[in-house]
Amino acid sequence: HVQLVESGGGSVQAGGSLRLSCVASGFTDNRYCMGWFRQAPGKEREAVARIISGGTTDYASSVKGRFTISKDNAENTLYLQMNSLKVEDTAMYYCAADSHASCWRLFGGTRSVRYWGQGTQVTVS
């Protein structure tokens, strides 16, 4: 039974920083891939950053150079370091994950993602 638990959201002024965390449990193979998605009010959920086994990362163009995704395999924890935050980064941020064999789901649109966290709110003013 896969579980993803996020933390670290909050309110910050534009230009500030936040770090999100997501602890994963239930995967039998630690090569699982993970990512961060976000959904702003009235908008569709979108991919922000993804990381696959071996450390390869992928970023949305809107956050490239400002956000950094990383994964601590020993702690089964995913991070998203967000710097130079903008008002338009305001959204509910969701952790997503899938098994190594099904990493394609994190790149195939939000409907293909099987495992989601509960979300953590990020508000930039």
Side-chain angles (χ1 to χ4, degrees):
H1 176 59
V2 173
Q3 285 191 310
L4 305 173
V5 180
E6 301 111 329
S7 61
S11 297
V12 65
Q13 290 189 333
S17 299
L18 282 174
R19 189 175 80 155
L20 306 182
S21 301
C22 173
V23 179
S25 61
F27 284 106
T28 57
D29 180 345
N30 68 0
R31 295 178 298 166
Y32 56 93
C33 48
M34 301 184 77
W36 290 98
F37 291 69
R38 67 186 180 187
Q39 187 167 17
K43 295 188 176 181
E44 293 188 355
R45 193 171 297 190
E46 62 176 1
V48 175
R50 293 163 285 203
I51 186 167
I52 61 176
S53 63
T56 300
T57 57
D58 174 78
Y59 294 93
S61 57
S62 59
V63 306
K64 197 171 293 185
R66 300 187 297 121
F67 291 11
T68 302
I69 188 171
S70 61
K71 183 169 174 273
D72 184 332
N73 290 322
E75 298 294 330
N76 293 318
T77 302
L78 179 74
Y79 299 101
L80 185 68
Q81 177 66 44
M82 304 185 293
N83 299 328
S84 302
L85 281 160
K86 303 177 180 180
V87 172
E88 51 264 42
D89 294 319
T90 295
M92 185 70 79
Y93 282 70
Y94 296 92
C95 175
D98 217 303
S99 63
H100 176 68
S102 295
C103 279
W104 62 268
R105 291 182 178 273
L106 268 66
F107 295 86
T110 58
R111 293 191 177 189
S112 65
V113 176
R114 291 189 293 178
Y115 306 112
W116 293 101
Q118 80 284 0
T120 185
Q121 179 68 37
V122 171
T123 302
V124 185
S125 60

